[in-house]
Every structure is written in structure tokens, then in C-alpha cells.
Amino acid sequence: MDLPAVFISDAHLGVNPPGRDPDREEKLVRFLEQLRGKVSHLVIVGDLFEFWYEYNDYVNRNHFGLYFALKELVKSGAEVHLLQGNHDFAYGDFFPKTLGVQVHKQVVLEIQNKKVLCRHGDGVAKSDFGYRLFRRILDFPMNRWLFKQLHPDWGMGLARFVGSSSRKAGESRVIKMNEYLSWAENAMASNECDRCVLGHHHVAGVWPVSNGVVASAGEWMKKLTYIQMEAGEFFLKEFV
């Protein structure tokens, strides 16, 4: 029998806004330690960090326990995949080369005889037009180069300020789940998949669609929820 697969999303490590579990990173490390030898896959469906940017000789020192836990999980035999989110899209080669964690914008995985499409989900909703434009500006090569010229401490401070401002603006945003499900349904058809896992909107759940099932782990901020896949089916769980 195949080992379970686990999906988590939207931990936004590096900040502790009001209402968030202040110990969630320590709990995430404990959770990863418990997965060793017990899962075939761990998929982190974007926004693991509030902000991520790699310099040639700099790695954020605040997450070394997490790095170690991920590397040990890979060594235990699990496939670990990390999806780029809208907060942490600027990954370099640290995760794949140093930790053995595979990084993707979007990926299709063969799990338990199912084809599972995984993507963070930012920009897929039709109502996210403004964000798609903003993301292109942020990801423009010249802008990426200019940001890299900042001292890492200054860059991190600027990113936290921008992130907190965007979070406040997004608190009143209405989640149009039908737009995410419609995109997933079409993407599953295009990629010949019958399962899809998204993040981004922080709404946890499992939804049947015409050609399969769509799931979201919600977020690892308040409730520490995750999706466990067993025998091809999704189950929503909570780490306590």
C-alpha cells in the first residue's frame, strides 16, 4: 500500500500578524519530523515564507531548524516539492542544491495512481487582474536586479512593509471560490489530471468538480491545517 502524501500551504513564516500562532514555525518543524518514513510526498503549495530572496552568499538565518527538517525528510525517502507563491516567488538554487527540495511554479505529480496538479493559485482567479499586473512589475528582471543591490537587512525590511500593507488591503477581499474551482477544472482537463491542489486564498476544503477533485490545505497560520492524500482521496486534517 502506498504511503500517504501531505500538502501544506501559506505559512508566511517570518511575520506574526495579530491572530496568528506565534509558535507555528516550531510546530511546523515538529510536524515535518513526524513525517519521516511515513509519507511518500510533501508538497508545500506556496507562501511558505512571508518573503524570500536569495543572494549569492546569504540565506535567511531565522529558519535553520526548518531547513534541517526538510533535508532530513528528503533523506528519509520522501519527495519534497516547494511551489512558488506570490510572497516567495524569488527562489534560487538553495532549496534544490542544498536541501534536495524541488522548486516549481506548477507541477503535475503521479501519486497513488492519480495525476495531481499543484499550483499556488495567485493570479488564477479572473478578479486578480490587478495582482497579475503587479506581479509582472515585481518579477521584471531589472527590478529583481535592483532589489538585489540592497543590503539584505534593508531588503527584508522593505519586503515586510510591503507585505503587511498588501495583507491589510486584502483583508476585505471577497474570495470567489467558483473562480478558483473553474480554473482548476480547466487546468485539470488541459493537463489530463484528476486531482488539483491550490493555495493562496487560505480557505481549507475539498471540492468535487466535474472531472475530479480540488483541494486546499488552507493556511498554516491560525489553525495549522493540511491535506493528507490516501488511496487517491483527499482528507483535511489539523495539526495540534
Side-chain angles (χ1 to χ4, degrees):
M1 182 176 179
D2 292 332
L3 290 173
V6 166
F7 304 81
I8 64 173
S9 182
D10 293 274
H12 292 272
L13 302 177
V15 293
N16 280 309
R20 273 54 173 183
D21 187 331
D23 301 317
R24 68 185 188 279
E25 184 160 357
E26 178 185 338
K27 292 177 180 177
L28 178 56
V29 170
R30 293 208 315 266
F31 177 69
L32 297 179
E33 290 172 345
Q34 293 177 17
L35 296 181
R36 293 177 194 167
K38 298 179 181 178
V39 298
S40 62
H41 297 72
L42 169 70
V43 184
I44 304 170
V45 194
D47 282 357
L48 175 61
F49 301 102
E50 174 68 7
F51 174 71
W52 182 270
Y53 195 90
E54 286 184 34
Y55 297 82
N56 293 338
D57 300 300
Y58 167 83
V59 174
N60 192 324
R61 69 176 185 175
N62 296 314
H63 309 292
F64 273 86
L66 175 66
Y67 306 150
F68 180 80
L70 288 170
K71 185 167 186 174
E72 290 298 302
L73 185 57
V74 172
K75 288 170 64 177
S76 75
E79 282 189 28
V80 181
H81 299 268
L82 175 60
L83 277 290
Q84 297 168 328
N86 54 303
H87 282 258
D88 56 358
F89 57 85
Y91 288 108
D93 61 9
F94 171 72
F95 276 86
K97 284 192 174 181
T98 306
L99 306 181
V101 174
Q102 302 176 53
V103 177
H104 320 268
K105 179 178 180 181
Q106 177 175 300
V107 65
V108 175
L109 301 172
E110 295 273 357
I111 304 176
Q112 299 165 14
N113 296 317
K114 302 291 184 182
K115 290 182 69 175
V116 185
L117 172 67
C118 303
R119 180 168 174 148
H120 181 57
D122 53 307
V124 306
K126 293 181 179 179
S127 54
D128 269 358
F129 173 78
Y131 163 74
R132 288 194 291 272
L133 178 61
F134 184 58
R135 171 64 180 272
R136 287 186 180 181
I137 295 172
L138 289 178
D139 217 9
F140 188 69
M142 177 60 73
N143 293 335
R144 294 269 299 262
W145 181 86
L146 288 171
F147 186 87
K148 195 171 186 178
Q149 307 317 302
L150 293 175
H151 186 283
D153 290 345
W154 297 350
M156 183 64 73
L158 175 62
R160 284 174 177 156
F161 172 76
V162 173
S164 64
S165 300
S166 66
R167 180 174 291 104
K168 289 178 182 177
E171 286 176 354
S172 59
R173 178 171 60 112
V174 177
I175 302 299
K176 298 180 179 180
M177 189 57 63
N178 62 306
E179 293 186 356
Y180 290 94
L181 296 180
S182 177
W183 180 90
E185 196 170 26
N186 291 331
M188 288 161 62
S190 299
N191 290 276
E192 299 181 338
C193 296
D194 45 15
R195 299 287 183 270
C196 180
V197 182
L198 295 174
H200 183 58
H201 48 64
H202 293 202
V203 179
V206 178
W207 300 269
V209 293
S210 64
N211 55 346
V213 182
V214 181
S216 171
E219 40 84 9
W220 192 278
M221 299 182 76
K222 297 178 180 179
K223 295 184 178 180
L224 312 186
T225 51
Y226 63 98
I227 292 288
Q228 186 159 308
M229 184 175 179
E230 298 183 62
E233 301 299 327
F234 291 136
F235 300 93
L236 180 62
K237 296 178 177 280
E238 184 175 350
F239 182 71
V240 294

